[in-house]
Amino acid sequence: MKQRRIGFLTRFFLAIGDFRIYPFSQKEQLIVAISYIFKLTFLSSAIIGTALLININNQSSEMEKEFKRLASDFTVENGMLTSSNPSSGELIEDIYFLVDGQKESGDVKTIIHEFPKTSRGIAMLLNDRLYFAYIFPDGYTQVLKFNYDDYDIETKDGLVSMWHEFNESYSIRLILLITTVLTTFIGLIILRGWTLMIYLITVYMINALFGNKLKFSGYLKVAIYASTVPVVLDTISLVAIGEVPQLASFIEGLICFIYVFYGLRAIRIDQLLMAGIGKTPEERIKDAINKAQKEIEEQLKKDEDNNSNKNEEETKEKEENDKESK
């Protein structure tokens, strides 16, 4: 493979089906691999965020009707909400709301824990701000906050009217889509960072079998490209069923192991080819193997000589000690 810059999509398909990407990546700067994982995560976020918004849009009218029916009346003056009495309920399955003029921003974490663990989203209209918490399948929570004055929210009827306008407005949906995608991206990039740390340990362990001399950046590049298929599977799982089952996580770990193994193997073969001399790859590998064997033989001979000298010194020292004792 010639050393040249390749695009994201080409790199993506190579990471899935061509292990030559691993020795190729070792000759590139680390920033290229980091840029790749950011782009891959953003693509995943765009797909997940779009699927989520489509799902919400399909049920938005139902949520609007439930909110109008269940939520207590409230008013907003000078950016502060007062409600006739606290109210909460389920808008659609696993998406909840709370209207409470007595609670503020400092109560958000406590409020989230009061709702069922299966919650996917919680809208909180508190005294000082409007919050929306999106709970990822693994438990990570992303919270968005909004000022009432920024959206001219004054009463419950006014909010319901805006909600109805959202259901009919493509521009508002576009803004919400961008917000959803960016929020999902932030959450996923944090999770991807933790996952890469686990993959790094796997790379270190498997590389002990091959003995490739890699820098930290080299190990990280292998981990990044080996994570491509797991990211794809995560995306499909989240879009299809809204979560990543434990079985899927186990399969992803197994796939990562396989990609890391063959990726490091490809790097080792590339190193042999680069070290050997010959017209064909076979001749280069044979030459590299012969050199390696000679180096091993020389090292063994050197070790034997060192051991022999050490034994002679010990024998002489023992004889001198025996003479002194007599």
Side-chain angles (χ1 to χ4, degrees):
M1 185 181 291
K2 293 181 179 180
Q3 186 66 21
R4 58 185 178 84
R5 287 297 296 271
I6 54 179
F8 168 74
L9 289 178
T10 302
R11 197 176 294 270
F12 172 76
F13 288 112
L14 287 174
I16 293 176
D18 193 337
F19 292 105
R20 290 180 297 170
I21 188 66
Y22 291 91
F24 179 85
S25 68
Q26 295 299 308
K27 301 176 179 67
E28 293 183 319
Q29 293 182 344
L30 178 59
I31 190 65
V32 178
I34 293 176
S35 173
Y36 168 78
I37 195 63
F38 267 82
K39 291 176 182 177
L40 180 62
T41 304
F42 183 79
L43 177 61
S44 173
S45 303
I47 294 172
I48 294 171
T50 301
L52 175 65
L53 189 59
I54 290 174
N55 184 48
I56 291 176
N57 282 340
N58 290 338
Q59 301 178 20
S60 184
S61 296
E62 180 183 345
M63 288 192 291
E64 176 195 333
K65 292 176 182 177
E66 286 298 298
F67 182 81
K68 185 176 183 179
R69 183 175 70 87
L70 297 174
S72 55
D73 291 330
F74 62 83
T75 57
V76 177
E77 293 182 5
N78 299 321
M80 306 298 285
L81 179 144
T82 51
S83 59
S84 55
N85 58 280
S87 60
S88 62
E90 187 175 25
L91 299 175
I92 57 174
E93 185 179 3
D94 294 333
I95 294 183
Y96 299 85
F97 80 92
L98 169 71
V99 177
D100 193 335
Q102 301 299 316
K103 294 184 178 180
E104 299 180 342
S105 299
D107 301 312
V108 169
K109 290 184 179 180
T110 303
I111 294 171
I112 293 173
H113 286 99
E114 290 175 351
F115 282 89
K117 293 183 179 180
T118 56
S119 302
R120 293 183 291 129
I122 305 170
M124 295 166 280
L125 287 82
L126 308 183
N127 177 254
D128 52 349
R129 281 190 178 93
L130 165 63
Y131 288 87
F132 183 80
Y134 177 69
I135 297 92
F136 288 83
D138 65 346
Y140 176 78
T141 302
Q142 183 72 34
V143 180
L144 301 176
K145 61 182 179 180
F146 307 92
N147 293 320
Y148 295 114
D149 291 342
D150 293 342
Y151 297 90
D152 295 326
I153 299 174
E154 297 179 351
T155 63
K156 171 188 170 181
D157 291 337
L159 178 58
V160 171
S161 177
M162 288 179 58
W163 201 331
H164 183 74
E165 182 182 347
F166 160 76
N167 291 332
E168 304 296 329
S169 173
Y170 288 102
S171 59
I172 294 177
R173 292 183 186 182
L174 178 60
I175 293 172
L176 186 58
L177 173 62
I178 294 172
T179 304
T180 304
V181 170
L182 291 178
T183 302
T184 305
F185 173 73
I186 293 171
L188 289 181
I189 205 67
I190 293 172
L191 293 175
R192 188 52 48 198
W194 284 106
T195 305
L196 284 176
M197 290 178 64
I198 298 174
Y199 287 177
L200 265 175
I201 297 173
T202 303
V203 177
Y204 271 106
M205 293 175 61
I206 297 178
N207 191 52
L209 299 173
F210 295 100
N212 293 316
K213 295 180 180 179
L214 302 177
K215 297 179 180 179
F216 174 79
S217 60
Y219 286 104
L220 184 56
K221 291 173 188 175
V222 174
I224 286 174
Y225 287 105
S227 68
T228 299
V229 173
V231 169
V232 173
L233 293 178
D234 276 348
T235 304
I236 294 173
S237 181
L238 289 171
V239 170
I241 61 176
E243 62 178 348
V244 181
Q246 290 186 350
L247 178 60
S249 298
F250 173 78
I251 293 174
E252 289 173 8
L254 182 61
I255 290 173
C256 173
F257 180 91
I258 293 172
Y259 272 85
V260 169
F261 180 88
Y262 282 102
L264 291 171
R265 178 175 175 269
I267 292 173
R268 187 57 181 163
I269 292 174
D270 182 73
Q271 290 178 350
L272 288 173
L273 286 172
M274 296 299 293
I277 300 174
K279 296 181 179 180
T280 64
E282 290 79 7
E283 290 177 355
R284 293 176 185 172
I285 292 175
K286 288 181 180 179
D287 182 69
I289 291 174
N290 290 333
K291 288 181 179 178
Q293 288 177 339
K294 288 180 180 179
E295 289 178 0
I296 293 172
E297 291 173 358
E298 290 176 358
Q299 184 63 42
L300 290 173
K301 187 177 179 181
K302 186 177 180 180
D303 292 341
E304 288 178 359
D305 292 340
N306 290 335
N307 290 332
S308 178
N309 293 333
K310 185 178 180 181
N311 290 333
E312 289 179 2
E313 291 176 359
E314 290 178 352
T315 302
K316 287 181 180 180
E317 185 178 350
K318 185 177 181 181
E319 290 176 353
E320 290 177 358
N321 290 335
D322 290 341
K323 287 179 181 180
E324 291 178 358
S325 62
K326 290 179 181 180

